[in-house]
């Protein structure tokens, strides 16, 4: 956005996106920079807003990205000099360079997490090269800045992987929030729309993502049995009556005409209902289009943990020798959390106001999830006890692909600190799961 947000608008953006990994990274890395400025007072929130604008422009399909980056430094310097100052006076050019350099470093770290080496190598290096051509306060503190930003590298990768191929534009949503409009991407279904920015790279030309599903990458011959086991474990109640999903999927879904009953099943109503529920559950993880919704009855952070762990769990396809995610999107277009919002509903008990009595009453009526419900979580604030979910994952997951452990020494190139290379997508030590815990399924 060309106009500078005033303090009130910045506060609205900060509150709305307070749990976004990119804003958190900016606040950690640049919290002291604003205090050093006498006039421009470029805040971490503004680094976030400006970085998102640049990221959206870089991801734009058909744009000359390298030429854009080459001209970006001077473009931002000029634009910021046209901004109103917090305090009037003769601004040292170093304040403007510090602001621009902050944006460049932030975008470079985000691009380094892109799965396409064109972005993670070429675009990242182009951004760093521009920084190297200019002297700034940030450049002098490169090690600390990159280390601070890199603390959020995993969360940024998760967000970028979800965001780069989506229809939504975070820069437009931020503008909506700043001007008291509802962000467009907070709608239940994100539709393909004509935007002033055009279309994102690799976007699937589909107008409705609401029927997309997940694809569980396991042996096709075993898929139905594994999904049946998955369904049983998620819907089974523990000693306290807790379960992760409402096992009666028929309450919220209709069975399509493709499902055919076995003659033996129709004779027993209980067996028949179980077969229908398993069939409906399978539709969510089989990679096809579906309208099926699963009601998640446990905590939202536990659903986040389940999807996040499965999505970042890599397995090898022996026939092809390729590494793939255990849980992947059925096809390009939506982000992983968009699919979660389309395929899951929140059935966690909560209190709502009864308009007739004016009192709060408890209800488990399912409500929609939004993408914002999941962006607040990260490995740092995962559920305190994940032993049951870990046990479930261990029962459906084949052996994971493990990368070699990389020692990080103090004198290591700071750019490599916490940054994953395209050929090493997880770079985690040991197994994804904490096997020291035993769950009810072990």
């Amino acid at each position: 956005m060309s106009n500078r947000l005033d303090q009130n608008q910045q506060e609205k953006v900060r509150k709305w996106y307070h749990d976004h990994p990119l804003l958190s990274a900016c606040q950690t890395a640049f919290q002291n920079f604003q205090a050093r400025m006498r006039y421009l007072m470029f805040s971490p929130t503004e680094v976030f807003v400006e970085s998102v604008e640049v990221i959206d422009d870089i991801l734009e399909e058909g744009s000359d990205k390298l030429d854009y980056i080459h001209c970006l430094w001077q473009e931002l310097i000029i634009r910021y000099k046209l901004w109103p100052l917090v305090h009037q006076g003769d601004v040292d050019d170093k304040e403007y360079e510090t602001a621009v350099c902050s944006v460049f470093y932030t975008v470079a770290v985000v691009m380094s997490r892109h799965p396409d080496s064109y972005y993670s190598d070429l675009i990242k290096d182009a951004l760093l090269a521009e920084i190297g051509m200019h002297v700034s306060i940030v450049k002098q503190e490169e090690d600390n800045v990159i280390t601070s930003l890199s603390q959020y590298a995993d969360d940024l990768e998760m967000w970028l992987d979800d965001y780069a191929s989506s229809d939504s534009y975070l820069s437009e949503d931020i503008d909506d929030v700043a001007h008291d409009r509802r962000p467009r991407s907070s709608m239940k279904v994100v539709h393909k729309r004509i935007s002033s920015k055009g279309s994102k790279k690799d976007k699937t030309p589909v107008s409705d993502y609401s029927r997309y599903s997940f694809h569980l990458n396991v042996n096709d011959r075993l898929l139905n049995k594994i999904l049946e086991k998955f369904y049983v474990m998620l819907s089974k109640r523990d000693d306290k009556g807790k379960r992760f999903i409402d096992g009666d999927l028929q309450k919220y879904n209709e069975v399509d005409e493709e499902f055919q009953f076995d003659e033996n099943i129709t004779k027993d109503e209980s067996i028949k209902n179980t077969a229908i529920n398993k069939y409906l559950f399978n539709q969510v993880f089989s990679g096809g289009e579906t309208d099926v919704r699963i009601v998640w009855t446990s905590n939202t952070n536990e659903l986040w943990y389940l999807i996040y762990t499965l999505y970042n769990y890599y397995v090898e396809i022996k026939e092809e020798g390729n590494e793939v995610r255990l849980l992947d999107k059925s096809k390009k277009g939506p982000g992983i959390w968009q699919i979660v919002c389309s395929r899951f509903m929140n059935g966690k008990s909560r209190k709502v106001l009864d308009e007739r009595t004016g009192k709060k009453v408890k209800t488990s009526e399912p409500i929609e999830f939004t993408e914002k419900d999941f962006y607040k979580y990260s490995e740092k604030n995962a559920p305190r006890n994940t032993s049951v979910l870990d046990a479930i994952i261990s029962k459906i997951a084949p052996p994971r692909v493990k990368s070699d452990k990389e020692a990080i020494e103090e004198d290591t190139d700071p750019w490599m600190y916490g940054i994953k290379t395209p050929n090493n997508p997880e770079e985690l030590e040991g197994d994804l799961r904490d096997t020291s815990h035993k769950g009810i399924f072990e």
Side-chain angles (χ1 to χ4, degrees):
M1 54 192 72
S2 58
N3 297 324
R4 187 176 195 180
L5 299 180
D6 61 33
Q7 294 299 314
N8 183 47
Q9 291 172 322
Q10 288 187 43
E11 183 64 15
K12 292 175 184 177
V13 172
R14 188 189 65 77
K15 286 183 177 181
W16 185 273
Y17 293 102
H18 72 278
D19 47 17
H20 195 289
L22 185 55
L23 178 57
S24 298
C26 292
Q27 290 172 328
T28 299
F30 306 112
Q31 58 184 341
N32 296 323
F33 282 54
Q34 184 182 27
R36 299 178 190 173
M37 295 183 177
R38 296 184 60 188
Y39 304 105
L40 183 60
M41 303 293 286
F42 197 69
S43 70
T45 300
E46 288 182 296
V47 179
F48 166 69
V49 172
E50 292 296 300
S51 298
V52 168
E53 185 80 21
V54 173
I55 290 168
D56 277 354
D57 287 340
I58 289 176
L59 293 176
E60 199 68 44
E61 183 180 25
S63 62
D64 189 334
K65 306 177 193 310
L66 295 178
D67 182 64
Y68 167 75
I69 293 172
H70 179 68
C71 301
L72 183 61
W73 189 282
Q74 292 301 323
E75 178 185 319
L76 293 182
I77 288 285
I78 294 171
R79 186 151 67 88
Y80 297 164
K81 284 186 175 182
L82 295 175
W83 276 4
L85 300 177
V86 177
H87 303 293
Q88 296 301 316
D90 296 328
V91 186
D92 189 329
D93 280 349
K94 287 185 177 180
E95 290 197 10
Y96 293 112
E97 288 190 354
T98 298
V100 175
C101 203
S102 302
V103 173
F104 267 67
Y105 269 124
T106 302
V107 177
V109 169
V110 172
M111 288 297 106
S112 75
R113 311 302 290 190
H114 198 289
D116 189 332
S117 61
Y118 172 79
Y119 292 93
S120 61
D121 292 336
L122 188 63
I123 297 301
K124 178 203 74 178
D125 290 344
L127 290 162
L128 293 177
E130 288 297 318
I131 295 174
M133 295 172 61
H134 301 84
V135 178
S136 71
I137 299 174
V138 182
K139 177 61 180 175
Q140 296 166 6
E141 300 181 357
E142 182 178 68
D143 291 18
N144 292 334
V145 168
I146 294 177
T147 299
S148 297
L149 290 171
S150 297
Q151 294 178 28
Y152 296 88
D154 290 340
D155 298 329
L156 288 172
E157 179 180 325
M158 186 71 173
W159 167 71
L160 182 63
D161 189 72
D162 184 47
Y163 178 67
S165 60
S166 71
D167 270 338
S168 60
Y169 287 84
L170 184 53
S171 57
E172 294 181 352
D173 290 346
I174 290 173
D175 188 63
D176 287 337
V177 170
H179 294 88
D180 296 317
R181 299 187 298 265
R182 183 179 180 182
R184 277 155 279 192
S185 66
S186 66
M187 297 170 61
K188 174 184 174 183
V189 178
V190 178
H191 294 282
K192 180 182 177 183
R193 55 187 171 81
I194 299 175
S195 167
S196 59
K197 288 183 172 296
S199 57
K200 289 280 187 68
K201 181 179 183 296
D202 293 333
K203 184 177 66 178
T204 302
V206 177
S207 60
D208 188 354
Y209 294 150
S210 65
R211 288 179 54 81
Y212 279 34
S213 65
F214 302 103
H215 179 224
L216 195 65
N217 284 307
V218 296
N219 188 303
D220 290 341
R221 293 185 293 104
L222 302 176
L223 179 60
N224 287 336
K225 290 184 177 181
I226 290 175
L227 288 178
E228 179 178 336
K229 184 184 295 184
F230 195 22
Y231 163 79
V232 170
M233 291 187 293
L234 289 177
S235 60
K236 182 178 180 180
R237 295 185 184 274
D238 62 15
D239 296 338
K240 297 181 180 179
K242 175 184 175 182
R243 59 181 178 178
F244 292 106
I245 67 171
D246 186 337
D248 190 2
L249 276 67
Q250 296 179 76
K251 288 192 300 185
Y252 314 101
N253 302 280
E254 295 182 0
V255 182
D256 57 46
E257 298 177 355
E258 295 180 5
F259 183 73
Q260 299 293 328
F261 290 107
D262 183 275
E263 292 183 2
N264 295 325
I265 291 180
T266 57
K267 297 178 181 179
D268 189 311
E269 193 66 24
S270 176
I271 296 177
K272 175 183 175 181
N273 289 334
T274 300
I276 293 175
N277 288 327
K278 289 179 180 178
Y279 167 78
L280 292 170
F281 181 86
N282 286 12
Q283 304 311 299
V284 175
F285 297 95
S286 299
E289 291 194 352
T290 182
D291 289 322
V292 175
R293 307 292 293 275
I294 296 174
V295 175
W296 186 263
T297 58
S298 195
N299 297 328
T300 302
N301 65 342
E302 291 178 307
L303 176 57
W304 170 86
Y305 178 81
L306 178 67
I307 300 298
Y308 178 87
T309 304
L310 292 174
Y311 188 65
N312 287 279
Y313 188 108
Y314 286 81
V315 296
E316 182 178 351
I317 300 178
K318 294 183 178 180
E319 295 79 5
E320 302 176 9
N322 296 328
E323 296 177 12
V324 296
R325 298 180 185 275
L326 176 57
L327 184 71
D328 209 343
K329 299 177 285 188
S330 57
K331 48 187 172 180
K332 290 183 178 181
I336 191 70
W337 299 115
Q338 283 180 262
I339 298 179
V340 172
C341 294
S342 294
R343 299 280 66 81
F344 284 88
M345 295 187 71
N346 187 352
K348 176 76 173 179
S349 296
R350 63 195 185 283
K351 288 187 176 181
V352 297
L353 183 65
D354 188 332
E355 295 181 354
R356 295 176 302 173
T357 62
K359 297 180 179 180
K360 288 188 175 182
V361 295
K362 198 171 185 179
T363 180
S364 297
E365 185 68 24
I367 58 176
E368 301 288 339
F369 279 117
T370 67
E371 294 170 66
K372 191 172 181 289
D373 292 329
F374 301 100
Y375 286 150
K376 69 181 70 174
Y377 299 115
S378 67
E379 291 180 338
K380 296 179 181 178
N381 59 357
R384 184 172 300 178
N385 186 346
T386 62
S387 58
V388 176
L389 287 172
D390 291 335
I392 291 174
I393 294 170
S394 69
K395 295 295 184 182
I396 66 170
R400 65 182 290 274
V401 174
K402 299 181 181 180
S403 61
D404 297 333
K405 177 182 176 182
E406 295 185 358
I408 301 177
E409 303 295 342
E410 291 184 359
D411 59 349
T412 299
D413 178 357
W415 187 254
M416 297 303 294
Y417 185 84
I419 301 299
K420 299 176 184 178
T421 62
N423 295 326
N424 295 290
E426 359 76 86
E427 293 188 15
L428 297 174
E429 178 182 1
D431 202 298
L432 274 173
R433 303 181 300 275
D434 180 0
T435 56
S436 63
H437 302 287
K438 296 293 182 180
I440 60 174
F441 303 110
E442 294 189 307

